[in-house]
Amino acid sequence: MRVRKAVLPAAGFGTRFLPATKAIPKEMMPLVDRPIIQYAVEEASASGIDQIIIVIATGRSAIEDHFDSNASLERWLEDRGDIEMLRTIRRISEFGTVAFVHQREQLGLGHAVLMAKDLVGDEPFAVLLSDDVMLNPNGAPVTRQLIDAHRAHRGSVIAVQRVEPEEVSRYGIVEPLHEEGRLVEIRDLVEKPAVGEAPSDLAVLGRYVLTPKIFDVLEQTPSGAGGEIQLTDAIRELTHEQPVFGYQFEGVRHDAGTRIGWLKANVAVGLDSEVADEFRAYIRGLDLRD
Ligand code: G1P
């Protein structure tokens, strides 16, 4: 079955970015000229997905407003003859269907995904954590790579990449059963293991293609690491019932959920944007000696 739908959890508090995130969700922080979440929506759209489901916290409307049309802004741009910006603005509300579901209590990533159960229904779907910004300018979007792997091998597929051994406690870590090329058959997973206790250095990064069976499992998943209902714990259960693969994707991932990662993501996006030449010249001219 074609993967048509994507779930984008965006209901966290964004505590690492306070006070910037006091009134706006972290997904609305910009990378150059677009909010972080728009990169994930564009990636999903470029991967063939036409139904986006964004899980937001109750009482926070900035993301909804962003994907809605804005008639007075459009009229103003039209009156000024700024047709290019008008097109850019209109394109944002034309990414296929964008639906919103509210997560009333922040009970964890697994719980956020569960909120989308009724809108997803009985079909495989993608999950994109938008603060993992995935750039692969010369190849297929990372979500597309996972969808292709899902098509070829069935089962669920999650994006994995090797991380430094001292970083394992920031991620879900997989225990591989068997590796062949980019594909890793997964025996087990653990959410945020202590350094020295991780089964490997292969970390789960924020892209998944999951079978709908995950919803049944999530309904039974107790809270885990950090007292939260973890998606990793549910996927771990899923491995007992269906095959789950890791896919060592092609592309660069920036963790825009941390200050340094957000800065690096801005540099990467800036160096591939309309202002790239001027930005490159500026960086070259910086005196970076201590
Ligand atoms: C989440 C997942 C974790 C994954 C990470 C990737 O953690 O729970 O398994 O490795 O995203 O960014 P979070 O960053 O929300 O703590």
Side-chain angles (χ1 to χ4, degrees):
M1 193 185 266
R2 188 166 84 84
V3 179
R4 305 181 299 158
K5 301 182 182 179
V7 177
L8 279 65
F13 288 123
T15 44
R16 279 181 288 204
F17 273 108
L18 282 168
T21 49
K22 185 168 170 238
I24 57 159
K26 67 175 174 195
E27 291 78 8
M28 286 302 291
M29 302 255 299
L31 290 182
V32 184
D33 60 357
R34 279 170 282 168
I36 292 174
I37 194 163
Q38 193 177 324
Y39 291 87
V41 170
E42 286 179 12
E43 179 188 323
S45 176
S47 302
I49 280 166
D50 47 30
Q51 294 182 46
I52 309 277
I53 301 155
I54 304 182
V55 184
I56 54 173
T58 307
R60 287 201 148 185
S61 62
I63 299 177
E64 271 177 286
D65 294 344
H66 182 71
F67 289 101
D68 203 349
S69 54
N70 182 337
S72 50
L73 173 63
E74 288 180 22
R75 213 170 312 116
W76 188 76
L77 289 168
E78 205 163 2
D79 288 348
R80 285 175 32 133
D82 194 345
I83 302 305
E84 204 177 319
M85 186 49 79
L86 183 65
R87 273 204 203 108
T88 306
I89 295 295
R90 283 207 175 128
R91 220 165 41 88
I92 301 171
S93 42
E94 287 167 2
F95 285 123
T97 320
V98 182
F100 293 88
V101 36
H102 291 255
Q103 187 187 21
R104 289 182 206 290
E105 286 178 285
Q106 272 59 64
L107 299 181
L109 178 61
H111 182 255
V113 171
L114 183 57
M115 297 296 102
K117 177 182 177 192
D118 291 343
L119 288 177
V120 171
D122 194 23
E123 56 184 276
F125 64 104
V127 175
L128 289 84
L129 309 186
S130 50
D131 52 13
D132 277 329
V133 175
M134 303 291 200
L135 303 174
N136 191 29
N138 301 317
V142 174
T143 297
R144 180 77 245 167
Q145 297 175 37
L146 298 195
I147 291 173
D148 289 343
H150 164 77
R151 268 212 193 131
H153 304 281
R154 303 283 138 206
S156 298
V157 183
I158 58 190
V160 296
Q161 205 168 56
R162 294 195 192 281
V163 295
E164 296 300 325
E166 63 274 14
E167 288 183 348
V168 288
S169 54
R170 287 172 42 195
Y171 300 101
I173 300 291
V174 309
E175 182 185 339
L177 181 66
H178 175 71
E179 282 186 46
E180 201 174 322
R182 292 184 178 274
L183 201 73
V184 182
E185 203 177 324
I186 295 178
R187 187 207 298 273
D188 201 359
L189 300 95
V190 50
E191 180 68 8
K192 305 200 169 85
V195 174
E197 285 174 22
S200 78
D201 58 355
L202 274 176
V204 177
L205 297 181
R207 299 292 184 272
Y208 312 74
V209 171
L210 301 170
T211 62
K213 182 83 198 152
I214 196 73
F215 292 121
D216 299 339
V217 182
L218 276 169
E219 276 171 342
Q220 308 295 326
T221 303
S223 39
E228 300 190 339
I229 298 173
Q230 297 289 351
L231 183 58
T232 303
D233 292 345
I235 297 173
R236 172 182 216 184
E237 277 305 307
L238 195 63
T239 60
H240 300 146
E241 304 192 30
Q242 296 178 344
V244 178
F245 300 96
Y247 189 77
Q248 303 187 64
F249 59 91
E250 179 193 276
V252 177
R253 170 258 184 181
H254 291 285
D255 182 2
T258 66
R259 291 167 196 211
I260 186 67
W262 179 80
L263 288 168
K264 289 180 187 173
N266 267 291
V267 172
V269 174
L271 286 173
D272 192 30
S273 73
E274 273 173 26
V275 294
D277 291 347
E278 206 179 328
F279 189 38
R280 188 170 289 112
Y282 168 74
I283 293 173
R284 280 216 181 97
L286 288 176
D287 182 356
L288 294 174
R289 287 167 300 184
D290 286 331

